[in-house]
Amino acid sequence: QVHLVESGGGLVQAGGSLRLSCAASGSIFSINAMRWYRQTPGKQRELVASITSAGSTRYADSVKGRFTISRDNAKNTVDLLMNNLKPEDTAVYYCNADVLDYKNLPTQVQCWGQGTQVTVSS
């Protein structure tokens, strides 16, 4: 099995910064794309940012220029640096990854973390 564990959420004032981290562990053969999603009550989960194993990144329009996604392939981690936070960034943030588990090759599976709360006060 593969597990994703997020950390780094919390309460911050508008204009502040937070860094979220996600670490994957378990029977990992390789990880392809890694992503950060967020969700607020009553709304669908929204893709915030993604990064390929080669380092190509994509962002939701709402966070472009403020958020930066990065990863360390050797450590199987992905970070999300969030600057100039706004109250509308308040959500539970989830880490997501496309994982090849060596116990289930060649099937790729999507793994999710448990989520971390980010609250931005005005």
Side-chain angles (χ1 to χ4, degrees):
Q1 280 190 338
V2 176
H3 301 279
L4 301 181
V5 178
E6 301 102 335
S7 60
L11 174 64
V12 64
Q13 287 189 331
S17 298
L18 281 176
R19 179 185 288 274
L20 304 183
S21 295
C22 172
S25 62
S27 50
I28 299 169
F29 179 79
S30 67
I31 301 178
N32 294 321
M34 301 185 83
R35 308 172 187 88
W36 286 97
Y37 284 80
R38 65 187 180 187
Q39 189 171 24
T40 54
K43 292 189 177 181
Q44 285 193 333
R45 200 165 288 189
E46 172 192 23
L47 177 61
V48 175
S50 64
I51 184 168
T52 67
S53 56
S56 295
T57 59
R58 300 184 73 173
Y59 297 93
D61 288 343
S62 58
V63 307
K64 279 181 183 176
R66 300 188 297 120
F67 290 11
T68 303
I69 188 170
S70 61
R71 64 188 285 175
D72 185 326
N73 290 334
K75 296 181 179 179
N76 291 325
T77 60
V78 61
D79 287 358
L80 185 68
L81 176 61
M82 305 183 292
N83 293 323
N84 190 22
L85 281 160
K86 304 176 181 180
E88 51 265 41
D89 295 318
T90 296
V92 178
Y93 284 71
Y94 296 90
C95 176
N96 168 272
D98 295 337
V99 179
L100 284 169
D101 181 337
Y102 68 72
K103 294 182 178 179
N104 292 293
L105 292 175
T107 303
Q108 177 174 278
V109 296
Q110 276 214 355
C111 297
W112 291 90
Q114 80 286 354
T116 185
Q117 176 71 46
V118 171
T119 303
V120 184
S121 63
S122 57

